[in-house]
Amino acid sequence: MRLFPWPWADPDDRHRALLTRAQAGDREAFRALYQDLYDPVSRFVGRRVRRREDVEDLVGRVFHKLLEHLGDIDLRRGSVRMYVLSIARNAVIDHARARREGTPIEDVAPILADDRGTPLDSLVQQERIRALRAAVAALPDHVQELLALRYGDGLEHAEIAALLGESTAAVKQRLSRAQRSLREVLQEGEVVDVRF
């Protein structure tokens, strides 16, 4: 019994094969690549841009840029997914600069209230979320982005390192410091100045 609808167990293998076909002019391969990568790109951009119209516009720009630079992609430098997410990251940065506003980051680790909980449970949960937001907001922007990449977008340490142009060890160390600081801030119940 096959667990996946395609013969590749690894989505990166599928993306590589689709990219190779798309580079040779196969429109259906590009369409399939677009369908595979649309949701991750849309979620990535949606966590950082407030207005839905802007999100849709930026996602369109990302795939337009992918199409323009289809022949320039070097698969030895990383996965197709990471290449597209780096285009998305640059598009979000350009968008934020053009609007002269900070890049919004959704909750790093959303804590959802249980539907079956009591009203008191819901209030306690809302207070935890408020405290987490305040603690995350006190962190420098680059640390907020690091936490969002790891916990919001679900990227692995090596993927974050490739996206940011840093070593995997540096990313692991910075994430560990951020987690430790958040834990301390939440235990103390106050927001403190955190440096990384």
Side-chain angles (χ1 to χ4, degrees):
M1 179 171 83
R2 186 178 283 172
L3 296 176
F4 297 103
W6 56 84
W8 300 275
D10 182 5
D12 287 340
D13 290 341
R14 173 177 163 77
H15 295 157
R16 274 189 223 95
L18 289 170
L19 177 69
T20 302
R21 288 178 34 212
Q23 288 173 328
D26 184 344
R27 289 177 179 226
E28 290 302 315
F30 184 79
R31 182 173 289 125
L33 193 59
Y34 172 85
Q35 289 172 343
D36 279 4
L37 296 173
Y38 179 85
D39 284 341
V41 170
S42 181
R43 283 191 306 267
F44 182 92
V45 173
R47 283 189 184 88
R48 292 158 177 82
V49 176
R50 288 188 181 130
R51 292 183 49 222
R52 181 165 173 71
E53 299 83 18
D54 291 340
V55 171
E56 292 170 0
D57 182 48
L58 288 172
V59 170
R61 287 186 208 174
V62 167
F63 284 103
H64 184 261
K65 191 155 198 133
L66 173 64
L67 186 58
E68 284 180 336
H69 296 282
L70 206 53
D72 301 334
I73 300 174
D74 181 4
L75 293 175
R76 294 173 295 187
R77 296 189 66 204
S79 70
V80 177
R81 178 175 175 246
M82 292 311 301
Y83 182 83
V84 174
L85 288 178
S86 68
I87 294 172
R89 180 176 183 261
N90 291 336
V92 168
I93 290 169
D94 291 345
H95 174 76
R97 285 181 183 153
R99 291 194 164 255
R100 294 184 181 215
E101 61 184 48
T103 304
I105 306 288
E106 283 188 9
D107 297 335
V108 175
I111 305 168
L112 303 174
D114 184 0
D115 292 337
R116 296 170 297 196
T118 66
L120 179 60
D121 292 337
S122 179
L123 286 172
V124 169
Q125 202 68 3
Q126 289 173 6
E127 182 59 26
R128 287 180 182 158
I129 291 171
R130 187 207 54 76
L132 179 61
R133 284 184 180 152
V136 170
L139 297 173
D141 289 342
H142 67 278
V143 177
Q144 290 181 28
E145 179 183 21
L146 188 66
L147 290 169
L149 290 170
R150 177 69 175 128
Y151 299 106
D153 297 313
L155 300 181
E156 298 296 325
H157 295 110
E159 293 174 321
I160 296 169
L163 188 63
L164 299 179
E166 298 180 10
S167 71
T168 303
V171 168
K172 286 180 180 180
Q173 184 178 38
R174 286 179 52 209
L175 273 169
S176 177
R177 287 180 187 162
Q179 291 166 340
R180 187 171 34 254
S181 294
L182 278 175
R183 194 176 306 113
E184 290 170 5
V185 167
L186 291 171
Q187 287 173 350
E188 294 171 6
E190 61 183 56
V191 177
V192 296
D193 183 26
V194 182
R195 300 184 191 279
F196 292 89

